[in-house]
Amino acid sequence: MHKILGLFRTVMRIGEIESGRCVHQFARFEVRPLLEEVSEYYQPLADAHHCQLLIDAPAGTPLFGDRALLFQALANLIENALKYAAQGKVITLSVTLYRGWTALRVSDRGPGIPDNLHATALERFQRLEGSQQQPGFGLGLSLVKAIAELHGGQLCMASANPGLHVYLCLKPT
């Protein structure tokens, strides 16, 4: 029952974000404290996976957006990295310029996603081969994509050989 309720809440949340019906509060804030907060929140889970969370972001980098939604997006990306790539690996949270966008990036050193499957991985209910043994419904990246689009941005992926870079691309401030 809890799984069905979680699935329903996530599908509803994506719909709210995509339609713009969700409550959001856009403001200017610094990126590094957001990355530190997400990292601190997920450190116990990272420790359980013998994983190290690193932050690579200069102090003072500004961003404009809904801090709570961006926290949620980063949380989903970190959860994915911990699920699929974490055992003893490093996960890096950073801010960078990517294709002209200010990008919040989560990078891991796991198996990654083949380039030809990046678009498929962003679709709702898509579970790629090899991910079926992990819990989930294939909605995490769809939620992150919806949050990116609400911010006028996009979600991009690039191979890290090994691993994956996931970029939450937002308008430069």
Side-chain angles (χ1 to χ4, degrees), residues 112-126:
I113 297 174
D115 291 346
N116 64 323
L117 295 177
H118 287 178
T120 302
L122 300 179
E123 295 174 13
R124 285 186 200 173
F125 302 109
Q126 288 298 315

Side-chain angles (χ1 to χ4, degrees), residues 55-78:
I55 296 174
D56 180 16
T61 303
L63 196 60
F64 182 76
D66 183 299
R67 195 176 191 284
L69 287 174
L70 293 173
F71 183 101
Q72 184 175 10
L74 289 168
N76 280 28
L77 296 177
I78 291 170

Side-chain angles (χ1 to χ4, degrees), residues 3-171:
K3 287 184 179 183
I4 293 170
L5 288 174
L7 171 64
F8 179 75
R9 277 194 298 270
T10 303
V11 170
M12 293 299 294
R13 184 70 170 148
I14 292 170
E16 289 172 350
I17 292 169
E18 286 178 343
S19 68
R21 290 189 323 249
C22 71
V23 175
H24 49 275
Q25 298 177 344
F26 282 65
R28 189 171 307 282
F29 60 93
E30 260 188 69
V31 173
R32 186 167 178 96
L34 172 65
L35 298 180
E36 289 170 349
E37 185 179 327
V38 174
S39 176
E40 183 178 322
Y41 185 83
Y42 278 94
Q43 192 59 57
L45 188 57
D47 290 343
H49 284 88
H50 308 289
C51 179
Q52 185 178 6
L53 294 176
L54 297 178
I55 296 174
D56 180 16
T61 303
L63 196 60
F64 182 76
D66 183 299
R67 195 176 191 284
L69 287 174
L70 293 173
F71 183 101
Q72 184 175 10
L74 289 168
N76 280 28
L77 296 177
I78 291 170
E79 286 177 14
N80 279 352
L82 288 168
K83 261 197 260 187
Y84 299 110
Q87 287 297 341
K89 307 280 183 173
V90 173
I91 297 171
T92 304
L93 289 72
S94 60
V95 62
T96 186
L97 290 178
Y98 182 75
R99 298 182 183 173
W101 299 83
T102 298
L104 302 176
R105 181 177 70 191
V106 176
S107 300
D108 65 57
R109 306 296 288 167
I113 297 174
D115 291 346
N116 64 323
L117 295 177
H118 287 178
T120 302
L122 300 179
E123 295 174 13
R124 285 186 200 173
F125 302 109
Q126 288 298 315
R127 309 270 334 257
L128 301 179
E129 188 175 320
S131 67
Q132 286 77 15
Q133 67 272 17
Q134 295 291 343
F137 298 103
L139 293 171
L141 290 175
S142 296
L143 179 61
V144 177
K145 180 182 175 198
I147 291 170
E149 290 173 354
L150 178 71
H151 285 79
Q154 58 186 321
L155 185 61
C156 302
M157 291 187 234
S159 293
N161 298 318
L164 185 67
H165 299 298
V166 183
Y167 297 91
L168 178 57
C169 300
L170 305 169
K171 294 178 183 176

